[in-house]
């Protein structure tokens, strides 16, 4: 009775005493991937070939502890791991990185916008008061001079100092940088929409770009999101409040990142919890449809929800 | 006996019963600034004119509580304040804003650089390991393709995934932004050096751009810095440690922002406290020289200190 045994470096035929009597070595990982072929070749050559029974495995493994095999095992294992690592990069990763960077850009934008306002206030404090949106403020002071801006808001004279060009230029350099950061943020959103449209169209349709991506970030990918119960999806992003609820008995949270969803924003206050629950329900379905490559049903769901909470 | 009284709206001659018998109204703030002229004119016209004694002031002030003066007082006061606010903007403010923004840019750069590295690691993790400097890392991945970089560091194969161009482009957009933020930081430093060279050459020479500007930020301007005792300058930026020392008796700090000064960095550890004290001493002199427009002596001081702590 002979045994068949296959590992990374080849297919082997062993006799009853577990000596190697025949083998087909694998030259590359591609051959290892096609190991069935090698096995069937050996099976034809040696009739009555059996798979190695479990209890004999430890003995066989000691066979391969010989030094001559070491390098091959090492190299092939590394290569195998490399391939696995490479293949592990999926759309999930891109989406998670992009949405995380959007959050980080927001932080940077706020930080620099505040400084920009404070700095520009030495020059024309009135403008900062008139334009509350950070992005619009940066764009406005880039595009228009102090005079033009004052005229636009019908301010006769500014309290700000007359500055030499060198000082104003320095402020405008910062303004340009802030404006570019906001543009990058927009670009990231478009990019997100582009990949989500292919990868998870249902989720994108019902949750929108930002919320959809945030859900994927919090659940570490579409697969995990699809496997989560709807009640967990409802509370993703509200972990702190949830644990506060569990430990100190404060009110349980009704929604996490879903709070920003238009459906919940538009719902009456007393119905928001219910809306969040139903939205999470449908989002869970969407994630599953997307993960298992199902049909595009999000539009129907959306309509259904919108009719319910008009 | 007649009295002379001058306020924002004019110079007035009052008789013994404190009735206005003559006046020169000021049409503008400029005339108010030249009020001495109006007063001397009135003095010529009315001999034996006295300044209003203190005890009669309250009575005169009630005179001006009439409604007809209100608008003029209001407008002129506002204009006066506006001018004062305008004039209060000095080089101090520019320096403080610029150095504060450098600190903020550093924060933003670090935040986005970390994200950039993490994101790029899906593509070619080896490069992030090889280039530890954030700025160089961003520049490298902008200028060179993954292939070129791998060849440069003699890495045969990357563990990173093969990405489509759309994904790589998104990472590179972030890299460009990071690189620009670093450039803006450099630009700010040059700007700082430029204005400090004119405004506080001694401080600039001895402290360097960043430390000099930080000292001015912490002391809220050159004037205050010039008035601070050297021992306070020595500890600027170490307030936390100082108060910890006072309240809980931990070791007293030896230096604040001065720690980063090359003189202290190069000094032997046991001499650092002494070096900081002497440096603060000279910096205090520099700030005074600069504030009171003295000579340029910082080079001598610098040489002196360098010889002492070689």
């Amino acid at each position: 009775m002979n045994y068949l045994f296959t590992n990374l470096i080849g297919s082997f035929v062993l006799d009853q005493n577990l000596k190697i009597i025949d083998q087909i070595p694998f030259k590359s990982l591609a051959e290892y991937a096609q190991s069935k072929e090698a096995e069937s070749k050996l099976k034809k050559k040696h009739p009555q070939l059996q798979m190695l029974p479990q209890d004999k495995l430890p003995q066989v493994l000691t066979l391969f502890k010989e030094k001559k095999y070491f390098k091959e095992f090492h190299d092939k294992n590394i290569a195998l791991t490399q391939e696995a690592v490479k293949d592990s990069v999926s759309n999930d990763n891109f989406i998670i990185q992009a949405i995380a960077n959007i959050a980080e850009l927001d932080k940077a934008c706020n930080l620099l916008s505040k400084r920009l306002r404070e700095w520009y206030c030495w020059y024309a404090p009135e403008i900062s008061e008139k334009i509350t949106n950070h992005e619009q403020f940066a764009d406005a002071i880039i595009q228009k001079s102090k005079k033009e801006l004052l005229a636009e808001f019908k301010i006769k004279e500014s309290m700000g100092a007359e500055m030499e060009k060198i000082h104003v230029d320095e402020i405008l350099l910062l303004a340009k940088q802030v404006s570019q950061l906001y543009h990058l943020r927009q670009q990231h959103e478009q990019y997100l929409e582009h990949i989500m449209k292919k990868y998870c169209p249902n989720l994108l349709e019902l949750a929108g770009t930002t919320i959809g991506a945030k859900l994927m970030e919090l659940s570490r990918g579409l697969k995990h999101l699809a496997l989560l119960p709807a009640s967990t999806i409802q509370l993703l992003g509200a972990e702190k409040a949830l644990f506060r609820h569990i430990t100190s008995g404060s009110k349980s949270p009704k929604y996490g990142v879903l709070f920003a969803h238009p459906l919940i924003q538009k719902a009456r206050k007393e119905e928001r919890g219910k809306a969040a629950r139903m939205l999470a329900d449908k989002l869970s379905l969407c994630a599953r449809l997307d993960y298992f490559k199902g049909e595009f049903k999000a539009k129907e769901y959306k309509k259904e929800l919108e009719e319910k909470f008009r």
Side-chain angles (χ1 to χ4, degrees), chain A residues 217-234:
Chain A
E217 186 193 8
L218 288 165
S219 61
R220 313 254 144 239
L222 185 59
K223 185 183 168 186
H224 294 115
L225 187 65
L227 298 177
L228 283 181
S231 55
T232 307
I233 294 180
Q234 187 187 340

Side-chain angles (χ1 to χ4, degrees), chain A residues 21-115:
Chain A
I21 54 171
D22 199 358
Q23 58 180 296
I24 300 180
F26 299 147
K27 272 167 213 142
S28 65
L29 281 176
E31 282 182 25
Y32 168 65
Q34 306 289 324
S35 60
K36 292 278 169 236
E37 280 179 24
E39 284 180 355
S40 63
K41 260 187 208 168
L42 286 174
K43 271 181 192 161
K44 270 182 203 159
K45 211 165 151 194
H46 304 267
Q48 278 195 314
L49 203 56
Q50 263 197 355
M51 291 308 285
L52 189 78
Q54 278 285 317
D55 58 319
K56 299 209 166 153
L57 190 61
Q59 231 177 315
V60 174
L61 289 183
T62 50
L63 251 183
F64 288 100
K65 273 194 177 162
E66 263 183 72
K67 258 211 171 142
K68 62 173 178 180
Y69 297 123
F70 274 18
K71 195 178 148 37
E72 206 175 343
F73 268 125
H74 177 264
D75 290 350
K76 283 200 172 159
N77 260 319
I78 292 278
L80 207 62
T81 312
Q82 254 176 354
E83 240 171 53
V85 169
K86 270 189 183 185
D87 290 344
S88 73
V89 178
S90 70
N91 278 321
D92 279 336
N93 302 106
F94 301 140
I95 292 172
I96 290 172
Q97 289 295 334
I99 190 71
N101 195 40
I102 285 180
E104 238 125 41
L105 283 175
D106 276 342
K107 264 189 236 166
C109 283
N110 281 331
L111 197 70
L112 297 178
S113 288
K114 275 185 213 156
R115 171 65 45 200

Side-chain angles (χ1 to χ4, degrees), chain A residues 169-229:
Chain A
D169 283 350
E170 206 66 20
I171 303 177
L172 292 187
L173 279 177
L174 177 59
K176 272 172 203 153
Q177 205 54 247
V178 170
S179 170
Q180 280 183 18
L181 285 173
Y182 277 110
H183 283 152
L184 181 60
R185 191 192 185 290
Q186 273 171 16
Q187 162 63 30
H188 276 341
E189 271 184 5
Q190 282 169 17
Y191 163 77
L192 264 181
E193 198 175 326
H194 180 84
I195 42 179
M196 285 171 80
K197 212 168 221 161
K198 282 186 197 162
Y199 184 57
C200 46
N202 282 297
L203 190 67
L204 174 66
E205 175 70 30
L206 188 55
T209 325
T210 317
I211 297 179
K214 269 190 194 160
L215 288 175
M216 288 180 65
E217 186 193 8
L218 288 165
S219 61
R220 313 254 144 239
L222 185 59
K223 185 183 168 186
H224 294 115
L225 187 65
L227 298 177
L228 283 181

Side-chain angles (χ1 to χ4, degrees), chain A residues 115-132:
Chain A
R115 171 65 45 200
L116 177 64
R117 278 174 188 273
E118 201 178 316
W119 204 346
Y120 194 79
C121 273
W122 293 110
Y123 189 45
E126 296 82 3
I127 311 301
S128 174
E129 230 169 75
K130 294 283 178 189
I131 310 177
T132 47

